[in-house]
Amino acid sequence: EAAVTQSPRNKVTVTGGNVTLSCRQTNSHNYMYWYRQDTGHGLRLIHYSYGAGNLQIGDVPDGYKATRTTQEDFFLLLELASPSQTSLYFCASSDQTGQNTLYFGAGTRLSVL
Amino acid sequence: GEQVEQRPPHLSVREGDSAVIICTYTDPNSYYFFWYKQEPGAGLQLLMKVFSSTEINEGQGFTVLLNKKDKQLSLNLTAAHPGDSAVYFCAVSAGPGTGSNRLTFGKGTKFSLIP
């Protein structure tokens, strides 16, 4: 069973705060993704990567940075958090491009006060 | 770019009843189609993956239909039971060689049983 682990599971910060969300996959997958899930919007792609050191911009990248340090680890950075970034964040991995299944982590619920 | 409309946003049925969730996509080059299930407090899990060459795909307790002419993908739950309560998402991606490796998700359908 493919495994994607996110940490923390819950995070509360204040406006202007600095937050890092972590994701590790043990699937030996090339692709990793960060999504945010919001009521009325479904899942929206923030950033993704196809390997260590690579970063691709998703559909809603503003206010977010990401870094892929190894094949296993992908981080999402909010350097000046805003209330609009309060959301449920999911990390996912896949072996290849669109035809392959995405394996999701359990999510990180972030609240920006 | 690809757009996916999913309906209804909410769906409630009685145990044993059938239910249908429909996604309509816009890109005629769409080639891979997915249904994901999200149970409360969990991430999304693959329910079924469908390729454009197959119109009818059956799973345990559900059927997925692909109508390429109308650009519609449907999830048909045949006899709802408590384990079906979840949020369901469809997702679509283009085929190989198109340069696209993204999934476009529908907005989700929250499915529940009427007590």
Side-chain angles (χ1 to χ4, degrees):
Chain A
E1 178 75 16
V4 180
T5 304
Q6 292 182 236
S7 62
R9 292 297 311 278
N10 294 281
K11 177 73 176 178
V12 180
T13 190
V14 295
T15 299
N18 193 323
V19 177
T20 298
L21 307 185
S22 302
C23 178
R24 165 165 282 201
Q25 56 100 358
T26 57
N27 311 318
S28 300
H29 286 166
N30 295 325
Y31 284 82
M32 296 185 73
Y33 311 79
W34 278 108
Y35 288 89
R36 60 178 289 174
Q37 182 181 10
D38 304 287
T39 302
H41 292 278
L43 272 77
R44 293 181 288 177
L45 181 64
I46 305 171
H47 290 297
Y48 65 104
S49 164
Y50 55 72
N54 175 263
L55 182 65
Q56 302 293 316
I57 293 172
D59 299 320
V60 289
D62 292 346
Y64 301 95
K65 292 183 179 179
T67 179
R68 181 88 176 269
T69 54
T70 64
Q71 186 183 32
E72 294 78 19
D73 298 301
F74 195 29
F75 301 93
L76 186 67
L77 297 84
L78 292 73
E79 294 183 332
L80 286 171
S82 72
S84 65
Q85 294 176 308
T86 293
S87 186
L88 181 58
Y89 291 87
F90 285 103
C91 175
S93 73
S94 72
D95 189 26
Q96 204 173 310
T97 59
Q99 67 268 34
N100 279 50
T101 302
L102 263 62
Y103 293 89
F104 284 83
T108 295
R109 186 166 294 281
L110 174 67
S111 296
V112 183
L113 305 178
Chain B
E2 175 81 89
Q3 295 184 44
V4 178
E5 180 186 341
Q6 182 173 344
R7 63 179 195 277
H10 302 275
L11 183 56
S12 296
V13 302
R14 299 191 184 282
E15 187 171 350
D17 285 352
S18 60
V20 179
I21 302 170
I22 296 175
C23 285
T24 304
Y25 58 95
T26 57
D27 187 350
N29 290 320
S30 297
Y31 193 84
Y32 303 103
F33 306 86
F34 304 80
W35 282 102
Y36 283 89
K37 178 181 181 181
Q38 182 184 28
E39 296 183 348
L44 282 71
Q45 286 196 309
L46 181 71
L47 193 62
M48 180 169 277
K49 179 167 64 177
V50 177
F51 295 89
S52 68
S53 58
T54 307
E55 293 185 339
I56 301 174
N57 299 267
E58 294 185 354
Q60 194 166 8
F62 61 90
T63 301
V64 171
L65 302 177
L66 176 62
N67 179 339
K68 292 183 70 180
K69 173 179 171 291
D70 295 333
K71 295 198 280 297
Q72 279 193 346
L73 177 73
S74 67
L75 174 65
N76 299 260
L77 299 169
T78 50
H81 61 85
D84 291 333
S85 294
V87 180
Y88 292 85
F89 292 93
C90 62
V92 180
S93 73
T98 63
S100 173
N101 61 345
R102 298 186 186 182
L103 287 185
T104 301
F105 283 86
K107 292 184 178 179
T109 296
K110 186 172 184 179
F111 180 79
S112 58
L113 293 190
I114 300 171

